[in-house]
Amino acid sequence: MVENSELRKAGLKVTLPRVKILQMLDSTEQRHMSAEDVYKALMEAGEDVGLATVYRVLTQFEAAGLVVRHNFDGGHAVFELADGGHHDHMVNLDTNEVIEFFDSEIEKRQKEIVAEHGYELVDHNLVLYVRKKK
């Protein structure tokens, strides 16, 4: 199973809750899920995994680099699988929908600004808070 090798590669013991949570994150259409979202999806799928376990496993996954935690507006943490590809986010303030995007011009300009100030870019996180135009 791919999940087992991913867990082992991240240095984590393969346990049923870890496998179930990793499978859930990998198979859902919703790429950004809170711990509560993961818990509800597991319950709906008939899996017996407690909310405290979900929190603990997501924290372990974050420490191991399997997921990325985002604290968007309001401090509500959501998690997404760390797929290695960089992207930025837009958060719809009316619906809390998270939209991923990548723009090479934005990436280029950020590097230029950093260099103009005598630095090198190590990492960044761009979040745009949006509303539909009326």
Side-chain angles (χ1 to χ4, degrees):
M1 292 183 75
V2 174
E3 291 83 10
N4 291 2
S5 65
E6 288 297 314
L7 289 170
R8 284 192 190 100
K9 191 165 46 171
L12 295 171
K13 185 177 171 185
V14 177
T15 65
L16 191 57
R18 287 180 181 151
V19 170
K20 295 294 182 189
I21 291 169
L22 192 56
Q23 286 174 338
M24 180 61 61
L25 290 169
D26 192 39
S27 66
T28 184
E29 288 184 22
Q30 185 181 352
R31 283 196 32 94
H32 303 86
M33 297 181 77
S34 68
E36 292 83 3
D37 293 334
V38 173
Y39 173 71
K40 287 176 192 168
L42 288 167
M43 299 302 340
E44 289 171 7
E47 302 296 342
D48 186 24
V49 178
L51 183 57
T53 300
V54 172
Y55 274 104
R56 186 174 57 255
V57 168
L58 288 173
T59 300
Q60 293 166 346
F61 283 2
E62 179 186 16
L66 291 173
V67 299
V68 177
R69 176 193 307 252
H70 299 285
N71 290 303
F72 296 130
D73 197 38
H76 187 68
V78 294
F79 300 84
E80 70 175 311
L81 284 177
D83 58 11
H86 172 75
H87 58 268
D88 296 305
H89 298 93
M90 290 188 291
V91 177
N92 182 328
L93 293 174
D94 295 323
T95 65
N96 290 324
E97 176 188 14
V98 179
I99 303 120
E100 296 179 355
F101 72 95
F102 176 82
D103 185 288
S104 59
E105 283 299 311
I106 290 174
E107 298 302 316
K108 177 182 168 198
R109 187 65 188 121
Q110 288 175 127
K111 289 176 185 170
E112 291 170 355
I113 291 168
V114 168
E116 289 167 9
H117 286 85
Y119 294 95
E120 66 175 304
L121 185 61
V122 176
D123 193 13
H124 79 279
N125 189 6
L126 175 65
V127 180
L128 306 174
Y129 296 95
V130 300
R131 283 198 169 98
K132 285 281 189 189
K133 283 185 176 181
K134 295 182 181 187

